[in-house]
Amino acid sequence: PANKYAKYFPEPGEAKNTTVIYDPKTKKIEGIPMCNGMHHLMFNVDQKTLYLSGGDNKVVSWIDTKVWDETHDAQKALGWCPMVVDSNGDGKITPDRTQWNQPAAVAVRSAGEEGGGGAKVETKVDPTKDTRIEGFLYGVDADIHDGSMWFAKTAPFPTSLVHFTPGNNPPETCMTEFYEPPKLADGKMYAAHSTHGVSVDSKGIAWASFGSGQLGRLDRTKCKVTKGPAVADGQQCPEGWSFYDSPGPKVQGVKAGSADYHYLMWVDLHDTLGLGKDVPILAGSNSDSLLAFNDTTKKFTVLRVPYPMSFHTRGMDGRFENMNAGWKGKGVFATYASEPVWHQEGGEDGISGPQLVKFQVRPDPLAH
C-alpha cells in the first residue's frame, strides 16, 4: 500500500467511520473517512494533531488537521500506530510486525478474578520480542509539557492507562507503555479496576477514575522499570501508583466496589472552578455530584446538585468567560447524562431532558 501507516500495520476493510469538521467561517461541514474506529477526541499540545480514542481495540489514531486544511487529502492527514511495548528492552520497537508477540497468540484467559470485571488476560511473552497489546481506548488526554498522550484502556480486566508517544518519524518511532493498577498482597485482587477516564496535570501526573470507587494517581517518573519483559503485563510500576477512596457508600460484600459510578474525570489545569490549579475532579454519577480532590490535604470536596435530582453526570470541562471578572467570569460545566433523564425529579412530563450545570466556587463566603 502507498500509505505508510497501512504498510506498517494494515487496517483492512472499508472506511466505516467519519470525523466531522465544521468550519464556522465558511459554515461548511466536511467528513474525513477513517480507517479505524473512534470514540473520544483530544488535541495534542501542538494544537493541530487531533487524537481519537477507540481504534477498534488495536491502534492509536490521529488526524493532522493542518495537513487536512491544506490538502483535504485523508491519505495524507490520517495516521495510526498499533500499541506495541518495548518488551525486548532495546529502546525501540521492532519495525517488522511479524516479529512481535501477538495478543491472540500469547493471551491465556484465566479463571475470573475475585473483585469483578471479568477475567484477566495473562500475557506470556518471548523476551527477545516486542509485544503488541489490545484493548478499547476510552478517555484521552494530552500531557502539556512533553506532548505525549494518555488513554484509559477499558479492557481487559482490571483495565489500565496507556501512555503513547509518536516520536519524530511515526509509525516506526511510535512507543507505547501501559500501566495496570498493582495487584494486592494476595496476588489476586487489584488496588482498583474499571477505569474510563484519564486526565493529566501540569506536572505530567496522570489521574484516573475507577468504577471500583477510587481516584488513581500515576507518577510515571517514579517507575523503576520502563522496558524489558516486565512491561508486557502492565505490572511494572507499583511504586508510581497512589489510590484514594472516594466518599460515599461501598458495595457490601465486595472488596473493591463503590455505590457511586465514576466515569470520565478531568483535571482543572487553570483553576476554572475556584479550588486551585491542577485539581482533579471525579464525576460522581450516582451521588449527584462532582468530587474535587486536593492533592496536598488528600481530601475531597463534594459539590452536590440538589435539584433536579438524578444529576448523573459523566464528564465536565472548564471555561473562562471573562478573564477580568474574577470568580464570576469562570466556571466548570457538567451535563446531566442522557441515560437517566426519564428518572429525574419531575418525571418524563416534568423537568426532563439533558441539562447543563455551571459550578463556581467563591474565594470566600462573602465574595460577590
Side-chain angles (χ1 to χ4, degrees):
N3 186 293
K4 65 177 183 177
Y5 299 104
K7 183 177 180 181
Y8 186 82
F9 191 76
E11 288 278 85
E14 297 181 359
K16 56 185 178 181
N17 296 291
T18 302
T19 298
V20 179
I21 297 178
Y22 172 70
D23 188 334
K25 292 183 179 179
T26 63
K27 301 188 184 307
K28 290 184 178 180
I29 296 176
E30 295 179 289
I32 302 177
M34 302 295 294
C35 295
N36 29 61
M38 58 187 194
H39 202 69
H40 291 281
L41 66 169
M42 176 65 69
F43 273 101
N44 200 332
V45 292
D46 62 11
Q47 293 297 302
K48 72 181 184 71
T49 309
L50 182 67
Y51 279 86
L52 303 119
S53 68
D56 297 330
N57 298 334
K58 297 178 181 179
V59 302
V60 173
S61 62
W62 63 87
I63 300 170
D64 188 322
T65 58
K66 185 174 185 293
V67 171
W68 171 258
D69 289 341
E70 293 172 350
T71 68
H72 288 261
D73 187 334
Q75 283 274 352
K76 295 179 179 178
L78 295 181
W80 66 88
C81 276
M83 295 179 283
V84 186
V85 300
D86 181 19
S87 54
N88 69 4
D90 64 358
K92 60 184 179 180
I93 300 301
T94 303
D96 183 356
R97 65 180 180 274
T98 66
Q99 298 303 308
W100 300 335
N101 292 307
Q102 299 293 337
V106 302
V108 178
R109 189 167 293 277
S110 63
E113 297 284 351
E114 184 180 6
K120 168 73 165 66
V121 175
E122 299 290 350
T123 302
K124 297 181 179 180
V125 303
D126 179 342
T128 67
K129 297 181 179 182
D130 293 322
T131 303
R132 186 171 70 85
I133 63 171
E134 291 187 348
F136 191 82
L137 303 180
Y138 205 89
V140 54
D141 201 14
D143 188 328
I144 65 171
H145 77 280
D146 70 3
S148 62
M149 300 298 296
W150 285 88
F151 297 86
K153 187 161 74 72
T154 62
F157 179 83
T159 68
S160 59
L161 295 186
V162 169
H163 180 259
F164 175 80
T165 52
N168 57 16
N169 186 35
E172 288 82 2
T173 55
C174 290
M175 294 284 285
T176 297
E177 303 164 8
F178 82 110
Y179 300 88
E180 290 182 348
K183 288 184 177 180
L184 300 180
D186 63 6
K188 298 179 180 180
M189 276 290 296
Y190 294 84
H193 62 78
S194 306
T195 183
H196 280 83
V198 62
S199 192
V200 189
D201 69 20
S202 63
K203 306 177 190 69
I205 294 171
W207 296 85
S209 52
F210 287 90
S212 51
Q214 295 88 12
L215 173 66
R217 181 186 192 273
L218 176 59
D219 186 347
R220 183 171 163 267
T221 64
K222 293 182 177 180
C223 297
K224 298 175 183 177
V225 176
T226 59
K227 59 184 179 180
V231 305
D233 68 359
Q235 288 288 312
Q236 72 274 21
C237 188
E239 64 275 11
W241 281 103
S242 300
F243 297 92
Y244 307 95
D245 284 347
S246 60
K250 305 302 178 186
V251 177
Q252 297 298 311
V254 178
K255 292 184 178 179
S258 173
D260 213 329
Y261 183 57
H262 303 311
Y263 205 72
L264 297 177
M265 58 86 56
W266 179 74
V267 170
D268 190 0
L269 287 173
H270 306 292
D271 189 23
T272 57
L273 177 60
L275 291 177
K277 295 181 179 180
D278 278 339
V279 170
I281 308 174
L282 287 172
S285 299
N286 280 346
S287 58
D288 299 285
S289 67
L290 300 183
L291 299 92
F293 183 73
N294 186 313
D295 195 24
T296 301
T297 65
K298 310 303 181 186
K299 293 183 178 180
F300 285 92
T301 298
V302 180
L303 307 172
R304 193 87 62 195
V305 176
Y307 181 83
M309 294 179 69
S310 299
F311 173 63
H312 185 87
T313 193
R314 290 195 171 194
M316 72 212 79
D317 209 335
R319 173 181 169 86
F320 285 95
E321 297 172 297
N322 185 341
M323 297 294 291
N324 299 316
W327 70 271
K328 292 183 179 180
K330 60 184 182 178
V332 167
F333 293 81
T335 62
Y336 280 76
S338 59
E339 285 80 356
V341 295
W342 301 279
H343 305 287
Q344 281 178 206
E345 186 174 359
E348 187 174 359
D349 297 326
I351 303 173
S352 60
Q355 299 175 57
L356 187 67
V357 181
K358 181 179 181 180
F359 294 83
Q360 294 174 299
V361 175
R362 299 170 187 257
D364 64 79
L366 298 179
H368 58 82

